[in-house]
Amino acid sequence: MPIPVGTYYQKKELGNGTVATIENNVVDTVTAGEEINFGVAVNIKDGKAVTATSAPIMGIAIKRNRIDGDDYNALPDDKFKAGELIGVLRKGGISVPITTDVSRYDFATVNSDGTFKTAGAGDGVVGRFKTDGYAGKTAIVQVELTDMGITAPASDNSSSNNNQPTTKQDTQPTTTDKGGKQ
């Protein structure tokens, strides 16, 4: 017979990277380009997921259903390894590590290590917190990420700016005169 007290098995807050809502979620599968902790913001660099250092972000790393280790003690150090396929949440609610106290409905932004905090003046917003949370713990953030309205560097869409798409045209289109000459 199970013990009817859920806190004997898990803390009140959800673990990093736990999908937290039952709504329709949008998840992409991406290859990790480096070690990535569960629940951190990620971006794309050279076609692979890397820990995001600022907004905008591509998504949030979803934790896996197993421990990559020999026993339960491996759990605190578990993370995705470079080359591993990972799930990245682009729309939905997910539990994330926070570095500041947050309140429900605060705007969320990203720290330089991919963790989350309340957005201040001038910070890029990536979503809203759906729960209160204390610094050093987790909170649920709601995201619906799109790539609209962001600008990449004029040089190209490479790793220099986390491979975000551009909304500006970098070159003038080729035109022809009525005679068909360019």
Side-chain angles (χ1 to χ4, degrees):
M1 178 171 140
I3 299 172
V5 181
T7 56
Y8 283 158
Y9 301 105
Q10 180 173 331
K11 299 178 216 170
K12 184 177 179 182
E13 70 267 3
L14 296 174
N16 296 340
T18 302
V19 175
T21 58
I22 60 171
E23 66 189 303
N24 290 329
N25 297 299
V26 175
V27 178
D28 288 356
T29 303
V30 185
T31 302
E34 63 184 19
E35 286 190 343
I36 296 176
N37 290 316
F38 305 140
V40 299
V42 297
N43 259 328
I44 301 298
K45 179 178 178 182
D46 298 328
K48 296 186 179 184
V50 295
T51 302
T53 58
S54 65
I57 65 173
M58 188 266 188
I60 301 169
I62 299 174
K63 73 176 184 179
R64 58 173 169 243
N65 298 352
R66 60 179 171 74
I67 299 172
D68 193 11
D70 295 330
D71 59 29
Y72 184 74
N73 294 325
L75 185 59
D77 298 321
D78 197 15
K79 59 185 77 166
F80 292 112
K81 311 294 186 277
E84 190 173 354
L85 288 177
I86 68 172
V88 178
L89 184 96
R90 296 202 22 98
K91 177 183 176 187
I94 188 168
S95 182
V96 296
I98 55 174
T99 58
T100 61
D101 291 349
V102 301
S103 296
R104 186 174 188 186
Y105 303 125
D106 282 353
F107 288 115
T109 193
V110 179
N111 291 305
S112 62
D113 62 355
T115 58
F116 292 80
K117 65 179 180 178
T118 300
D123 288 336
V125 173
V126 298
R128 282 192 185 257
F129 289 105
K130 297 295 282 182
T131 59
D132 296 335
Y134 295 108
K137 302 283 186 181
T138 65
I140 296 171
V141 70
Q142 180 77 32
V143 295
E144 188 165 346
L145 300 169
T146 68
D147 294 323
M148 298 177 67
I150 57 176
T151 305
S155 61
D156 61 13
N157 282 338
S158 68
S159 60
S160 62
N161 193 22
N162 294 326
N163 209 20
Q164 296 295 331
T166 183
T167 56
K168 294 181 180 177
Q169 188 167 341
D170 294 332
T171 60
Q172 295 296 322
T174 304
T175 58
T176 59
D177 64 12
K178 291 186 179 188
K181 298 178 183 175
Q182 291 187 349

